[in-house]
Amino acid sequence: NAGVTQTPKFRVLKTGQSMTLLCAQDMNHEYMYWYRQDPGMGLRLIHYSVGEGTTAKGEVPDGYNVSRLKKQNFLLGLESAAPSQTSVYFCASRAIGQDSNQPQHFGDGTRLSIL
Amino acid sequence: AQSVTQLGSHVSVSEGALVLLRCNYSSSVPPYLFWYVQYPNQGLQLLLKYTSAATLVKGINGFEAEFKKSETSFHLTKPSAHMSDAAEYFCAVSDRAGGYNKLIFGAGTRLAVHP
């Protein structure tokens, strides 16, 4: 099983450029999430989605946009990249289930550097 | 608001020694708690989760955690450290205010294991 797949794995951008990070999951999960990980700060939620066609803001949404046109995909966009967005980005997905403490499943991350 | 505090950003132990990683949470109601592990250049993997069925939770790779309501703690332990346990560990709590759809992560504890 592939689980959660993120593309690309690495990317270097110049300030002001735009790009889209793709997350795909094959577990038929309803919920999907985008996080950024910075040293000493754990993971911070950027945006999330509780179902196809829905998105919601997380803790640090500024400078990012997302779309969930298909249940299995969750796209994270940077319209005008800034050096402060240099980070490692993780996508995760989660089943609804009857149990509210269903765990999130994570991809391997995208390492993004903004010069 | 709920929060998670991991005491000690770096912990170093000798191979074969006890591993103790500390996590304290703030919540006015019984929380859903998780421990995740992150190996270098990988995503997060679930170690264990607190389900309220038992206060002592056993996870993968010989790890376990004990939920102590009176101390608002969910510390992670392993009786005997292996070199392969070297990684970063994250404690997380489900965000009750968000309908348990989101996780709030601690800042992480990096575990080093020395021969």
Side-chain angles (χ1 to χ4, degrees), chain B residues 7 9-10 26 31-32 42 45 51 55 60-61 85 88-89 91 97 108 113:
Chain B
L7 298 176
S9 59
H10 291 81
S26 67
Y32 296 126
Q42 295 185 24
Q45 301 175 29
T51 63
T55 56
I60 61 172
N61 301 337
D85 294 327
E88 189 156 20
Y89 293 80
C91 182
V113 182

Side-chain angles (χ1 to χ4, degrees), chain B residues 5-7 15 23 35 44 48 52-53 55 57 66 69-70 81-82 86 93-94 96-99 106 109 111-112:
Chain B
T5 302
Q6 291 184 241
L7 298 176
E15 192 173 19
C23 172
W35 273 102
L44 278 68
L48 50 82
S52 75
T55 56
V57 182
E66 185 172 9
K69 182 178 178 180
S70 61
H82 294 164
V93 62
S94 279
R96 178 175 179 270
T109 298
L111 175 66

Side-chain angles (χ1 to χ4, degrees), chain A residues 14-72:
Chain A
K14 295 181 179 179
T15 297
Q17 288 185 318
S18 63
M19 79 161 295
T20 300
L21 280 64
L22 171 64
C23 177
Q25 54 96 2
D26 61 2
M27 296 172 284
N28 201 35
H29 286 170
E30 287 292 334
Y31 299 157
M32 295 188 75
Y33 307 83
W34 275 108
Y35 295 90
R36 60 177 291 172
Q37 183 180 28
D38 301 291
M41 302 187 74
L43 275 74
R44 292 182 293 169
L45 183 64
I46 304 171
H47 287 280
Y48 66 104
S49 169
V50 299
E52 182 178 323
T54 72
T55 63
K57 293 180 179 180
E59 181 185 359
V60 289
D62 294 343
Y64 305 95
N65 57 76
V66 289
S67 64
R68 183 100 181 267
L69 299 180
K70 294 183 178 181
K71 185 177 182 179
Q72 64 268 33

